Each structure stands twice: as structure tokens, then as C-alpha cells.
Amino acid sequence: MIDVIDNKYFYLHNKEVAYLFDLLPNQQLEHLYYGEDLGKLSKNDLEYMSLHPNKASGTVKFSKKIKNLTLADRMQEFPTYGTSDFREGAVSIENEDAYLYPEFKYDHFEITTGKRRSLDFPTSYGNDSENLIVYLIDTEHQLELQLSYSIFENLSAIVRKAAIINHGQQEIKLTNLQSTVLDLPNDSYDFLQLSGAWTKERHIIRRPLTQGITKIESLRGASSHQENPFIALVDKDVTNDGGNIYASNLIYSGNFISQIEVDEWGQSRLMTGINPATFTWRLSRNQVFSTPEAVLFYSKHGFNGLMKQTHNFVTKHIIDQKWQRRDRPIVINNWEATYFEFNEAKLLKLAKEANKLGIECFVLDDGWFGKRDSDNSSLGNWTVDKRKFPQGLDHFSAQVHKMGMKFGLWFEPEMVSPDTELYNMHPDWIVRHPYNRFSVGRSQYVLDFANPEVVDNIYRQMEKVIETAQVDYIKWDMNRNITEAYSPYLNKSGYSQGEFFHRYIQGVYKLYAKLLTSFPDLLPDLLIEGCASGGGRFDLGILYYSPQIWPSDDSDAAERLDIMSGTLLAYPLSTFSNHVSAVPNDQVKRITSLKFRQNVACFGPLGYELDLGKLSTEEKNQIKNWIRWYKENRKLLVNGTFDQLLKFDPSQNTYAWSVSNSNKQIVGFYRKLARPNETLDQYLPLKHLNDQQKYQINSDQMVSGRVLQKFGLREPYQFNASNPDTAQISGDFQSYLYQIKTIDRKI
């Protein structure tokens, strides 16, 4: 998969993709190609692709020694600003307040196979990877740059990262080091981002590229509700199944930047990495700094082709493999059923109702610790509230386990309330600048996770509770972004405050790692669900530790259609935590049917978040039957191949998608608002079927795979005021599921 030809051309390729770069005359790295597989390349091919005798007008020559070489018009692997290239660079270094202009020249390379999974820091992993490390040296400043590339079998993904080593005597200061760069020869794309806000995360936004910089970023200390590190360049006429897409994502959960710069000749430069606006890092002699990994994706098969790449990559090379083999438990979460008003008896009643319906895990949400009767108290005091649990949390947990259910528990480890002993004893553990005025968010403060002592303290508190109560499932929440970022620990230790945000997220990962490795015998299948006021940290860094994430605090099924449509471009169904909640919905006060809510929530890990005791006997029976059906189809609904069947449209009213495996397909159709006399027959084109096979639709019609793929699956008949006898759905917020199964005989 990796060929190095004449110590000059570097060629990463498989059946899905080709990635090619070479050496410029000044021994820096030039990017040549990323796209469809090119197969075996001859020397003539390579020489032709790297031929560039011309120099653009109005540019500065790199050196008087090399004729017609300017970096201004060259595609590069890791550019430096100001060395005849005036676009933004991937690396910026200072030395005693002077800017350095490093000239990283090729020295040698190394190829390895396989990448081990380690919980120290989130990275891609896999036995099927081949890895290329290219070593470049700046002899004048005694700096070493290591560029790492990984490619996997049957995926278009190219994973990259960079590392800087200071071999000199003088300390240097990094002010920018990006994870990856992708230069493309034209700008004929739309920029696609996943943006929004709290309760409406990761909506699809497209805008045309133009000369200048188009970027998204986070400065909040987390990847954020507002933006997501995933971006894509899509052909202007891209469809679900056709058109070129180049995408990137970052395996990181902190402040990031993802941007495209278009120059005066229409070349596009994609860069992603740690946000330089809040970053500095000092390196003394022989010290090294490595970036988070970034991953590039390519598809010529439109959005569904992109999702095939992103979903397979996340499933096989980010999430722990054991969660492909183990079923995700169906949960009941007590939050919207009780909020803070509960005791053991009330919760046991809810747990017993859940158990009767076939629910498998009881998750106790906020309010079980300290004196937590509202959201302005007790964070950082992870001791059980004896008023609510007079016999201890272990007593309640034991009763849940006796029912045959797992027990889950909510934590917000990174926060502290001002009424706690922790806050008063350790004011130096709070993220806060040393001035009189400082911000307060949600009546709580952020703990300094850049300080290892803080992480260890919170871990010890959590460890005791988890072990005593035998917690099987953790919901890890984070409800406040970082303001006035300042670490007393870094100040005391002589570190730059510019290192805070990166060290903070390293502390978060450290706590995840400690929790996941502390109970190998007692809790070998401990599942941590990520959450940050809903979807405020839905990224590959968190998914490395948490196989699923609470995608939004908005559990309204209609809003979830848009959240899922956007999120699924980058992240597979298995990463969603989907809850059927009460109506009117607490976030938007919308009323939707139980059928509609369940038909949305069943795609991915399923949960419930409502007071089951208030439901009618008919509603309970509906849930019980639904859960029985979901368990029969869980592996398909969580890990099946996902496809969008209708085009993405910001104003869309109808949605349709499918999940499939070798012998079965489930299709979900959804319509938000009923419209008068809108349609007659409409059809959904299906994929992944055998033309020669017969299929049964909902235990009714028998149709060939050829017809379902070329003619299509008929959409459900909608009520149009004249068809009460034939309409299959009616009213606002409609849904319909199709089960398509193979029949034993072929045509």
C-alpha cells in the first residue's frame, strides 16, 4: 500500500484511493495527487505528474540558486508561511520573539505496519494499516519535523499528524502546528460544515468557495455545539450517490480550526488542527510536540460514498472493537421523568416498570450526590446523598441488578460548585484568571484538568462510587465552556498559559483512560456515554473512549431528523444515544406520536427518558412490543450499512434512510408537516440488494431486487382528504418503516 520510488516519490494507495507526493528541487515536500486509485505508476507517469517548469507571474523566487521555483504556486505537504508562499502555513515557530522561517528538507523515511490501540491519547489504530514517517531537517535552526501518514485496507482514509523536535540549545516557541494540509488544484467546490447551537447541533450548511479563507473553529475548550471539526469540499452538483467529495476530521476534542484558503489561481488549501489563536508550546532541547491526528477522506460516490468511508473508519479504527460484538443496552434514563425530585422508592418504581417492558439498563442521572436539589450545587462532591439513598447507592444498584438490569450513573467530572469543600479547600484548582472579575456559567466553575493532581482527586472520588455501586454505564456530562482560561498550576510550574487548553484536554483523556482500565475484573464492559450539554463534544476524540454520545439535549424527534442527517455524514449510527422522551417535548413543546418518536429513535442505540408510570396500558404494550422488535433487529439498526435515500435540503420536509446487511434492509420514511394534495406515487431508490433475489416487503408484497433498485420502493400513501381507505399515514410528523427481507428462492 506504500511505495517509495527512487527515494523521491511517495505513493500511498489501495483499491479505494491514491495519495502521492514528491520532493521539490529544494528538497521540501510537494503534494501531487489525492483521489481515485491510479494503480501502478511508471516512472514516466511520475515524471509527468511532477513536471512544473513554469513559474506564476507576480511571485517571489524561493532561491536564486533554483530557477523558476516559487512556493507561491506549488501544492505542498506541510507549507511554511513567508518563504515565497504567502498563504497561511502549517507551522509557525518563534525564538526570542523573532519569527523563524524553517526550511524543512527531506532526510529519510521509515515504513511500519500496524497501529496499536493505546488509551494515552486518541489515535487511529488497526492491524491493517501501513504507516509512513517522513523525516525532515532544518539544519540552520536544528529542528526536526516528522510527518506521519497511515493508510488502511479498503478505505480512502489517509491519517496524518506532525511532530516537531528541538535539537538546538535554545528554547523555541511553537505558535502553530497543524495536523494536516491538503492542497487541491482548483476551487470548484462548495464548503460543507456541520454547525448549529445548543439543542440544534450539526446541521448541514453549504456555501461556495471564493478567494480568501473560509473557516470554522472553536475557542471554547471543546469542539462545541456551534461547530464540528468535520468539514468537506463537495462538487457543486453532488448527489447522494455521485460526485467528488474531499473531507477531513480531527481526532481531538479541544480548540480546533478547520479551514480552506483559495489563492489567486483558484488553488484550495485545506488545513485542520489545534486552533493557533489559543496555543503556544515551548520546547527546550530534545523536547518534542506531536499534534493530534487528522484524517482525510475521499469519495467519488457522493454523500453515501462518503458515509461508507467515514462510518467504516470510525467503526474499525476509532471505537473500541469490542463494541461491535456487544449489544448496546436499551436504557431508561430518569432525568425527564423526575429531574431532581426523586428518592430510592420513586426510582425503584420506575426501574420496575422499565424492566417489565424489556429495558436493560437503568441510568440514574443528575441529583444523586452531595445536596444536589438544583443545578447550582455540589459538583465536585461525589458522595451519595443519604437523604435520597438512606441505605446507600449500592443498595439501590443491587436491587436494579437483581432485576437483571445494568446500572448507570451520571457524573460531571470536570466541574465544581462554589458550595463544596473542594472549591473552598483548593481555590488554585479552579480555571480562573487572577483578577477581580470572572465569568460564572450555570452557577459552576471548571476544574483545572491541566493539573494532574486535580484529575487524580476526581478519579479517586469516582472510583469509590463506581466500585461500591458496581456501575456498568457512565454518562459523562460537561455543561460549561471555559472562560478566562488561566491555570494556577501552569503558572506555578513555569509552563506557558498558551499550553493550557491542550493540557486540559489531555487531562480529560487521562481520566477516561483511568476509568476504563481500573475495573478489568469487576466491570470489564464498562460503557461511558459522552455528553456535553448534549452534543457539545461530539468528535472522534471522545468516541475513542466513548462508543456512543448523547447527540443533543433536544430529544424532539422532528429536530433529531436534522441532527442525525448532519451528524451521519461524519459519524456512524452506532455513535448515537437516542431517547424516546415525553410530550410535549421539554425543549420545543412539540407533541408527536409515540410511534413517530420510536421510529426515529430506533436507528442507533435506543433509550427512553420519560415517566413510564404515566403511560396508558396501550402505550406500555406498544413500547413492550417495540422493544421486542428492536432486540430482534438491534445488530442491523446499530451496525448496518447506512444510506440516505432523499437529497439533503435545508428546507426539506421529508426524510428517508435505510440500514442494510446481506439479507435484510430496514427503511425509515419521515414527513414533518402534512401538505394538501401534495403527491401521488413517489419512489425511494434502494441499494445493496441482489437483482436476482426476491424480497418481501413488510410481510406483504414480493418484489425483485432489480425492481426495488431500478424502479424503487413506493413511499407510503399519505392522506390527501380523499383517500381514507388507502392512506397509510396522515397528519403532521408522520413515519413509516419498511422491513425488506430476502426470500429463500431466486427469480
Side-chain angles (χ1 to χ4, degrees), residues 555-558 560-561 578-583 591-603 606-608 610 615-616 618-627 629-630 657 666-671 698 715-719 726-739:
S555 55
D556 169 58
R560 283 292 181 98
L561 291 172
N578 295 328
H579 288 187
V580 177
S581 59
V583 291
I591 297 175
T592 57
S593 70
L594 180 58
K595 175 188 174 185
F596 183 77
R597 284 173 277 153
Q598 291 191 133
N599 281 355
V600 174
C602 71
F603 285 87
L606 175 65
Y608 289 81
L610 69 171
L615 300 181
S616 67
E618 181 183 354
E619 288 173 319
K620 290 179 183 177
N621 286 334
Q622 187 178 342
I623 291 175
K624 187 174 184 178
N625 291 333
W626 183 261
I627 287 176
W629 174 85
Y630 178 83
W657 52 51
I666 297 176
V667 176
F669 174 87
Y670 310 92
R671 183 178 293 274
N698 286 356
E715 288 185 6
Y717 296 124
Q718 300 172 66
F719 180 69
T726 56
Q728 294 168 293
I729 54 177
S730 62
D732 293 338
F733 308 113
Q734 310 155 1
S735 63
Y736 196 87
L737 294 189
Y738 298 88
Q739 296 182 75

Side-chain angles (χ1 to χ4, degrees), residues 343-394:
N343 55 32
E344 183 177 300
K346 189 173 185 178
L347 295 178
L348 275 176
K349 184 178 179 182
L350 180 62
K352 289 174 182 176
E353 290 282 358
N355 189 43
K356 291 176 187 176
L357 300 179
I359 291 173
E360 300 162 325
C361 178
F362 186 97
V363 178
L364 174 55
D365 211 282
D366 195 357
W368 59 268
F369 55 94
K371 296 182 179 180
R372 182 80 163 176
D373 297 324
S374 68
D375 63 7
N376 61 9
S377 171
S378 302
L379 292 171
N381 176 13
W382 300 107
T383 57
V384 178
D385 185 349
K386 289 299 183 73
R387 298 171 305 159
K388 297 176 180 178
F389 299 96
Q391 299 180 74
L393 193 60
D394 55 329

